[in-house]
Amino acid sequence: MSTATLFNESLSPASGRGAHSGPPPVRRIVIVGGGTAGWMTALLFARSLIERGVEITVLESPAVATIGVGEGSTPWLRGFFDSLGIEEAQWMPACHATYKCGITFDRWSTRPGFERYFHPFASMLDNLTMKQFVHNVDARVNGADVHAHPDRFFIAARLAAACRAPKAPESFPFDVWHGYHFDAVLLGQFLHEKAVARGVRYHSCHVTQANLAADGSIASVSTREGETIAAELFVDCTGFAGLLMEKALRTPYVSFSSNLFNDAAVALPSPLGAEIPSETVSTAMRHGWAWKIPLTSRYGNGYVYSSGHCTRDEAETELRRHLGLLDADVEARHLKMRVGRLARHWNRNCLAVGLAQGFIEPLEATALLFIQQTASSFLEFLEKGDLGEEAHQRFNERVNAHFEGTRDYIVTHYKTNTRTDTEYWRANAANMNLSEPLQQLYALWMSGKGIAAAVGQQALGKGYPVFSWYAIMAGMGIFPDPGQLHAPNAREGVYRMAEIDDLLERSAGNFPDHRTALQAIAPRRARPSLQVYFF
Ligand SMILES: Cc1cc2nc3c(=O)[nH]c(=O)nc-3n(C[C@H](O)[C@H](O)[C@H](O)COP(=O)(O)OP(=O)(O)OC[C@H]3O[C@@H](n4cnc5c(N)ncnc54)[C@H](O)[C@@H]3O)c2cc1C
């Protein structure tokens, strides 16, 4: 099965290759917003545009803080740094970053044997066991009593369970793909410094309005400081404020609240123990779920919940109890979130990136991936000078398909839950606001015919690869009840778990302890002083 390989091969953004040598189609780009979205976009654009004479400026309000959360990534972040030539040794220590093998989902299902499972990042090594996993899952859906829990089949699950780093020695023939955990504020500062060092201009000012040209595009923005700043292209990275796309251009917003109920979060740090895990843990709570993210300096914790089902005080108390911090003198941060997406992410001469373009709650930590893909994908059009109506349409369809496919994957976590302890979980399980492709996928799963082809053909595959769909359905235990299972026949029971265990255990033994691996990353050299450009 090639899903893992395909997933890994497409990690580096395609942009930057085949850039046109003619004059760039725009000369001045203004990015409004200096959060992670603003700086990631600036860096990706700077890579190929600055040398072609394009001026890129980030405007950031001194009065509006960045969201300051968002501490987990997918493996795509590795492609982001690789494409910019930024080594782990440079950015990881600066951002208190750790390695992430995947996510454990704890207490989402009450099905015996499936109360907990790990969603791994797929790796080259998994090509050796992926076929066995899919075979066993398909056999079990069809009633054979074979082992089909994902945790036994993936190297990443073994590494995470043993607090090992997904960094193999040079002599090991397989790369194990991984994401990262990091301090969101430090990452923002790091990206800011890097972008400015690479020629991006920075201007601290509060944008008060966008001034439209006769054709409805944005001609300039006005600031509280009394300036008018013009550009040919604007990027809205103003977070949930949606200043340019929504407020100025009145781009419609498509809410996902009918199938993703969570709209608030409360966050709290807690101290690290002796070991540093190499996974995020997502624990189902009474009205949502709690994240636990290990950094080199602390744990980041938070509870993402539905304010329609519990109050902020109830959420904070439940999180504190969960962490053993009921009486601790540590302050909690409360946040509101809006879950959904813009109808168009590129509208006239404006692109929206980050929370300004949409957000699918942080359960699978996909937001930075959306930033990266939106900015890289747009850059392909920009580099080709392909800025017409048809290009807008193709781009928006591509980004929307990614949003919809990812949304459906996240919805599956909730839809397949079997908790009955609160109205929140019962409402999630009963919710029939499901997309057509998702309904078809569930029907196909239950029919026992296998879902690989369907995922590949539909928007579902734009969000998550086939193996992830298998991992979630199997991990949640969507199989016939144990009493209905039959002893496997020779074909169904062809794979021996002892052989798979042996292969993976021997492989895992090559990987270092996570804390030791992090300590081996060279400390960052002295920080260069921050260059600030003013108009
Ligand atoms: C609870 C929670 C958990 C999350 N967890 C994850 C995770 O694990 N992984 C992940 O990938 N993502 C996660 N995210 C999402 C992630 O935090 C964001 O996608 C990321 O930080 C990018 O944010 P942003 O830059 O779009 O917006 P922000 O950080 O909100 O930045 C907005 C910027 O716009 C500027 N601005 C606003 N108004 C003006 C104005 N009028 N004039 C000038 N500038 C202005 C602000 O000063 C700021 O610089 C999480 C989000 C939430 C809410």
Side-chain angles (χ1 to χ4, degrees):
M1 178 149 205
S2 61
T3 28
T5 316
L6 283 175
F7 186 69
N8 289 340
E9 276 176 355
S10 50
L11 272 161
S12 283
S15 55
R17 294 195 292 261
H20 282 219
S21 52
V26 296
R27 289 269 169 212
R28 279 173 306 172
I29 300 176
V30 162
I31 298 171
V32 184
T36 315
W39 291 114
M40 283 179 77
T41 305
L43 274 162
L44 288 169
F45 282 11
R47 191 169 47 126
S48 66
L49 296 180
I50 285 193
E51 65 186 20
R52 296 174 69 196
V54 179
E55 190 182 285
I56 302 170
T57 306
V58 172
L59 310 181
E60 185 186 22
S61 170
V64 184
T66 60
I67 190 119
V69 284
E71 302 190 323
S73 87
T74 65
W76 292 77
L77 193 64
R78 184 170 164 189
F80 170 78
F81 282 114
D82 282 355
S83 72
L84 297 171
I86 299 172
E87 301 282 334
E88 286 182 348
Q90 244 187 314
W91 78 268
M92 285 185 69
C95 301
H96 300 176
T98 64
Y99 293 112
K100 173 178 173 185
C101 297
I103 307 175
T104 282
F105 292 91
D106 193 18
R107 302 181 216 168
W108 287 72
S109 169
T110 57
R111 295 180 182 96
F114 296 91
E115 296 88 349
R116 185 179 171 99
Y117 79 96
F118 185 77
H119 179 194
F121 296 134
S123 284
M124 289 162 72
L125 192 60
D126 295 325
N127 283 333
L128 301 179
T129 51
M130 188 79 78
K131 195 169 126 202
Q132 292 84 326
F133 172 57
V134 171
H135 171 94
N136 276 20
V137 171
D138 284 342
R140 191 167 175 118
V141 172
N142 285 293
D145 190 4
V146 291
H147 193 91
H149 193 292
D151 290 10
R152 293 273 289 277
F153 293 87
F154 295 95
I155 183 69
R158 306 290 173 123
L159 298 179
C163 285
R164 289 182 190 264
K167 300 303 279 186
E170 291 290 315
S171 55
F172 191 72
F174 298 101
D175 187 19
V176 167
W177 220 241
H178 58 79
Y180 302 96
H181 305 113
F182 43 82
D183 181 307
V185 173
L186 295 179
L187 180 67
Q189 287 168 4
F190 179 88
L191 297 174
H192 179 160
E193 283 180 30
K194 269 283 165 221
V196 169
R198 292 182 179 196
V200 173
R201 294 167 176 236
Y202 172 65
H203 189 41
S204 172
C205 60
H206 185 84
V207 173
T208 48
Q209 71 172 59
N211 308 305
L212 302 190
D215 66 358
S217 61
I218 299 176
S220 60
V221 290
S222 301
T223 71
R224 192 181 281 163
E225 292 75 8
E227 299 149 304
T228 300
I229 300 167
E232 287 106 56
L233 177 72
F234 288 85
V235 187
D236 187 347
C237 292
T238 58
F240 287 129
L243 208 68
L244 304 184
M245 272 298 212
E246 278 196 85
K247 300 217 168 87
L249 294 181
R250 310 238 172 256
T251 311
Y253 186 84
V254 181
S255 171
F256 292 161
S257 61
S258 69
N259 47 21
L260 289 174
F261 302 157
N262 297 340
D263 60 355
V266 50
L268 270 178
S270 68
L272 273 182
E275 291 183 314
I276 304 184
S278 49
E279 62 172 345
T280 299
V281 176
S282 155
T283 307
M285 306 280 277
R286 284 174 56 74
H287 307 104
W289 59 276
W291 77 77
K292 183 165 192 173
I293 289 183
L295 309 183
T296 54
S297 50
R298 61 170 166 85
Y299 278 110
N301 309 281
Y303 180 6
V304 176
Y305 63 95
S306 157
S307 66
H309 292 84
C310 80
T311 66
R312 55 181 263 158
D313 287 351
E314 286 166 348
E316 183 175 331
T317 304
E318 194 188 346
L319 178 63
R320 284 182 182 278
R321 188 172 297 119
H322 170 66
L323 297 171
L325 294 177
L326 256 185
D327 301 320
D329 194 17
V330 47
E331 210 177 315
R333 265 193 76 204
H334 287 266
L335 300 124
K336 288 296 285 178
M337 347 181 279
R338 195 164 62 136
V339 175
R341 62 164 174 83
L342 291 173
R344 293 191 292 278
H345 308 264
W346 179 11
N347 189 3
R348 299 184 184 276
N349 65 335
C350 186
L351 173 74
V353 186
L355 298 174
Q357 75 179 124
F359 184 48
I360 311 182
E361 76 142 87
L363 186 57
E364 290 273 358
T366 47
L368 263 54
L369 168 57
F370 276 96
I371 293 170
Q372 194 181 338
Q373 289 202 331
T374 303
S376 304
S377 177
F378 178 78
L379 196 55
E380 286 173 32
F381 288 88
L382 197 59
E383 283 169 344
K384 288 186 204 138
D386 187 8
L387 304 180
E389 252 325 295
E390 201 260 338
H392 277 70
Q393 200 178 328
R394 261 187 297 137
F395 173 84
N396 286 323
E397 280 172 5
R398 192 191 292 180
V399 180
N400 282 339
H402 186 202
F403 261 91
E404 306 282 305
T406 305
R407 187 235 10 233
D408 285 351
Y409 192 79
I410 304 298
V411 165
T412 299
H413 286 279
Y414 294 100
K415 179 66 189 164
T416 56
N417 97 84
T418 49
R419 293 176 62 122
T420 52
D421 53 329
T422 59
E423 173 53 26
Y424 171 86
W425 289 108
R426 291 191 294 272
N428 269 299
N431 189 8
M432 288 310 293
N433 288 317
L434 306 172
S435 73
E436 194 63 34
L438 198 54
Q439 291 182 38
Q440 285 169 13
L441 180 114
Y442 294 163
L444 208 53
W445 180 274
M446 300 315 283
S447 76
K449 290 184 190 138
I451 57 169
V455 170
Q457 284 156 13
Q458 293 172 346
L460 298 171
K462 303 274 190 298
Y464 278 86
V466 172
F467 92 90
S468 284
W469 285 97
Y470 269 88
I472 191 172
M473 298 295 278
M476 293 294 284
I478 315 296
F479 295 119
D481 289 338
Q484 296 171 330
L485 298 177
H486 60 256
N489 61 32
R491 194 185 50 79
E492 289 166 335
V494 66
Y495 296 117
R496 289 174 199 278
M497 288 311 297
E499 283 173 15
I500 294 170
D501 284 341
D502 183 52
L503 171 72
L504 292 179
E505 281 310 313
R506 274 191 294 120
S507 303
N510 290 285
F511 290 77
D513 168 68
H514 192 204
R515 185 182 275 278
T516 311
L518 292 168
Q519 279 164 353
I521 300 176
R524 195 170 173 232
R525 285 191 295 275
R527 286 169 167 236
S529 62
L530 194 69
Q531 273 179 286
V532 181
Y533 292 86
F534 290 101
F535 276 59

